[in-house]
Amino acid sequence: MRLRLKPRDTRFFDLFSVAGTNIATATGVLREFVTVPTEERDELARRMRAAEHAGDDATHAIIEQLDRSFITPFDREDIYRLAVRLDDVVDYMDAAVDLTTLYNPEALPENVRLQVDVLDKCAQLTAGAMPRLATLRNLNDFWVQINELENEADQIYRRLLQFLFNGSHDPLTVMKLKEIVDQLESAADAFEHVADVVHSIAVKES
């Protein structure tokens, strides 16, 4: 039998759960943001910025706990990587919202909503997976489904590029909209990076 000297407290797992829940909150704001009239964007942008700050707070709390802990539930490097990857997700969504607010396009391409729907599914899966880090059980479906969703996000992104570069938009509009959809694509990639870290932890601890 393999003997492990692991702490029994749940502080890290609680903090990761907070970060996961905040990601789901941020994605909910994003779903509203891409559907409302332009005059309602500012309030949702403030809510997204609050979620971004909450994500930063969660990340700092995890790192501070890491600095204070002599024994950790899994590798210190993996704890740090997971904290940063979770923070990246909200950062990219916040950047997409911020750019939309700054450029203020009258309408976003229809497929942007499909991008956000995929991000929302990733967020729900991620929020549900974080509490399971305590046992590292029933996580296989998490990284498999996230990988499938990231592939779906890639396909949507390519269709968006085709739409933007079909010659029917002026170059300045193309540039602005591409910056926005690029950030959403990066958010999808960031979810996959979270799943990769979780997979790595599970393999190491198995």
Side-chain angles (χ1 to χ4, degrees), residues 24-204:
T25 298
T27 312
V29 174
L30 183 62
R31 289 190 71 182
E32 288 188 63
F33 182 85
V34 298
T35 60
V36 298
T38 55
E39 61 269 19
E40 296 180 27
R41 286 175 180 169
D42 285 346
E43 174 57 30
L44 288 163
R46 284 190 285 270
R47 288 169 56 190
M48 177 60 79
R49 182 50 52 91
E52 193 273 335
H53 290 326
D56 287 344
D57 290 343
T59 302
H60 295 155
I62 293 167
I63 293 172
E64 288 175 4
Q65 183 63 40
L66 189 60
D67 289 340
R68 291 195 299 265
S69 299
F70 179 68
I71 300 175
T72 57
F74 33 81
D75 285 353
R76 304 175 72 87
E77 180 181 345
D78 288 333
I79 291 173
Y80 179 82
R81 286 173 59 217
L82 183 54
V84 171
R85 295 305 192 188
L86 289 166
D87 191 50
D88 286 345
V89 172
V90 183
D91 285 347
Y92 286 124
M93 291 192 291
D94 178 59
V97 167
D98 193 38
L99 287 169
T100 306
T101 304
L102 290 171
Y103 294 152
N104 199 30
E106 290 187 9
L108 294 168
E110 184 62 31
N111 277 352
V112 166
R113 296 188 186 188
L114 298 181
Q115 271 190 308
V116 174
D117 285 344
V118 170
L119 294 178
D120 185 58
K121 292 174 184 177
C122 289
Q124 300 306 318
L125 288 168
T126 301
M130 291 301 101
R132 301 203 297 275
L133 289 170
T135 61
L136 294 176
R137 294 175 182 170
N138 303 316
L139 283 168
N140 187 67
D141 286 349
F142 165 62
W143 55 74
V144 170
Q145 291 177 42
I146 290 290
N147 182 261
E148 291 172 350
L149 287 167
E150 197 277 331
N151 290 336
E152 183 180 342
D154 284 345
Q155 293 173 7
I156 295 169
Y157 175 68
R158 288 192 289 270
R159 291 199 294 271
L160 276 163
L161 292 183
Q162 181 185 37
F163 169 76
L164 291 176
F165 291 101
N166 65 10
S168 62
H169 310 284
D170 68 89
L172 185 59
T173 298
V174 171
M175 181 193 73
K176 291 176 179 179
L177 291 176
K178 185 177 183 299
E179 281 193 58
I180 294 166
V181 300
D182 280 352
Q183 294 300 318
L184 296 175
E185 170 66 7
S186 293
D189 291 340
F191 273 116
E192 186 174 42
H193 295 156
V194 169
D196 288 343
V197 177
V198 173
H199 190 187
S200 176
I201 291 168
V203 168
K204 289 179 182 178

